[in-house]
């Protein structure tokens, strides 16, 4: 059974986002936590870094490596952002090791049944921190705890199917953070956004 908790917050600023530690302490958050959002995607990188510093902070003996502007450390949850032979875009993995081999730094990431993928420091890594993501990106993944911000400023993204998808990503606990009005709107809004495509006309031409 999934335990659901609601934390009422109405002081959200879309320009800054929430600081996770302001309503969940390090002791309350387990190692595997995922934050999902219906906000604009430009904030996910910031959210991911904030969450990482809560659940997997810098510690003595925990190796780190930088690729581009992104800093990764052993124990980080990461998301693959490109389809390749071994893994698919959106797959979550955990950094299992960082070491030097043949004068080059290598990072190993375990992707569950897809096995371990090695990344060399000289390459571009199609990876981002996997602590924060859109509900759409979370499909196909599961985490023990999922945190979902919900406020009126999310407007058209407050839909029942999106909320359902986010909640069902949790295996143990889901935490809804925001306003009761936004939660109610998402529950009652069962209207699917119309998608304008040329799929039907193209089928008729076949």
């Amino acid at each position: 059974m999934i335990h659901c908790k609601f934390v009422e917050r109405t002081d959200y600023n879309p320009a800054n986002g929430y600081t996770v530690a302001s309503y969940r302490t390090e002791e309350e958050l387990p190692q595997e936590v995922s934050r999902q959002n219906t906000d604009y995607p430009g904030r996910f990188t910031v959210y991911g870094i904030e969450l990482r510093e809560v659940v997997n902070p810098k510690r003595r003996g925990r190796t780190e490596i930088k690729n581009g502007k992104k800093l990764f450390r052993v124990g980080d949850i990461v998301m693959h952002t490109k389809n390749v032979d071994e893994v698919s875009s959106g797959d979550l993995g955990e950094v299992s090791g960082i070491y030097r081999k043949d004068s080059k730094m290598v990072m190993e990431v375990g992707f569950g049944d897809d096995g371990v993928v090695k990344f060399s420091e000289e390459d571009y890594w199609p990876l981002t921190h996997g602590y924060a993501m859109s509900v759409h990106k979370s499909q196909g993944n599961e985490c023990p705890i999922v945190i979902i911000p919900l406020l009126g400023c999310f407007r058209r993204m407050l839909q029942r199917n999106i909320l359902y998808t986010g909640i069902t990503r949790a295996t143990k606990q889901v935490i809804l953070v925001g306003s009761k009005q936004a939660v109610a709107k998402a529950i009652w809004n069962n209207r699917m956004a119309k998608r304008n495509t040329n799929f039907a006309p193209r089928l008729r031409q076949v």
Side-chain angles (χ1 to χ4, degrees):
M1 179 181 294
I2 299 176
H3 176 66
C4 186
K5 181 177 182 178
F6 176 74
V7 180
E8 188 165 13
R9 288 290 296 268
T10 57
D11 57 346
Y12 176 79
N13 183 345
N16 298 321
Y18 282 123
T19 300
V20 175
S22 67
Y23 60 85
R24 300 292 291 177
T25 65
E26 181 178 348
E27 290 74 22
E28 291 175 308
L29 282 171
Q31 183 64 31
E32 297 179 77
V33 63
S34 173
R35 172 179 177 165
Q36 298 174 358
N37 204 343
T38 54
D39 201 356
Y40 50 94
R43 298 299 302 176
F44 294 146
T45 299
V46 177
Y47 293 150
I49 293 174
E50 290 178 352
L51 269 170
R52 192 269 298 275
E53 295 307 320
V54 173
V55 300
N56 189 31
K58 182 179 179 64
R59 294 173 184 157
R60 181 180 297 179
R62 183 156 291 188
T63 313
E64 298 181 343
I65 188 171
K66 197 170 185 180
N67 185 256
K69 295 182 179 181
K70 297 174 183 176
L71 179 69
F72 300 97
R73 63 175 61 115
V74 173
D76 272 348
I77 304 299
V78 296
M79 174 181 284
H80 208 275
T81 59
K82 185 178 180 181
N83 291 319
V84 295
D85 293 338
E86 300 93 342
V87 291
S88 302
S89 176
D91 284 353
L92 291 177
E94 181 176 350
V95 178
S96 55
I98 299 173
Y99 54 89
R100 183 173 296 278
K101 182 178 180 182
D102 298 332
S103 72
K104 296 178 182 178
M105 294 299 294
V106 176
M107 183 173 78
E108 290 186 350
V109 179
F111 286 98
D113 295 337
D114 293 324
V116 176
V117 179
K118 298 180 180 180
F119 299 89
S120 177
E121 65 175 340
E122 62 188 7
D123 301 326
Y124 165 76
W125 301 348
L127 297 172
T128 187
H129 294 100
Y131 299 100
M133 68 199 75
S134 67
V135 173
H136 173 73
K137 273 286 188 181
S138 73
Q139 296 184 74
N141 292 307
E142 288 184 337
C143 293
I145 283 192
V146 170
I147 303 172
I148 307 177
L150 285 163
L151 278 168
C153 59
F154 297 160
R155 299 182 184 87
R156 63 186 181 87
M157 300 304 292
L158 295 174
Q159 300 177 26
R160 184 188 300 179
N161 64 311
I162 295 178
L163 178 59
Y164 173 82
T165 301
I167 289 176
T168 53
R169 298 310 94 197
T171 58
K172 293 183 179 179
Q173 184 181 27
V174 60
I175 304 169
L176 304 179
V177 183
S179 71
K180 295 178 180 178
Q181 292 81 1
V183 175
K185 182 176 180 179
I187 293 173
W188 285 103
N189 183 10
N190 196 30
R191 293 175 295 176
M192 299 283 289
K194 183 179 179 181
R195 299 180 180 180
N196 297 314
T197 68
N198 291 322
F199 185 61
R202 289 175 179 174
L203 281 179
R204 298 188 189 101
Q205 295 174 4
V206 175

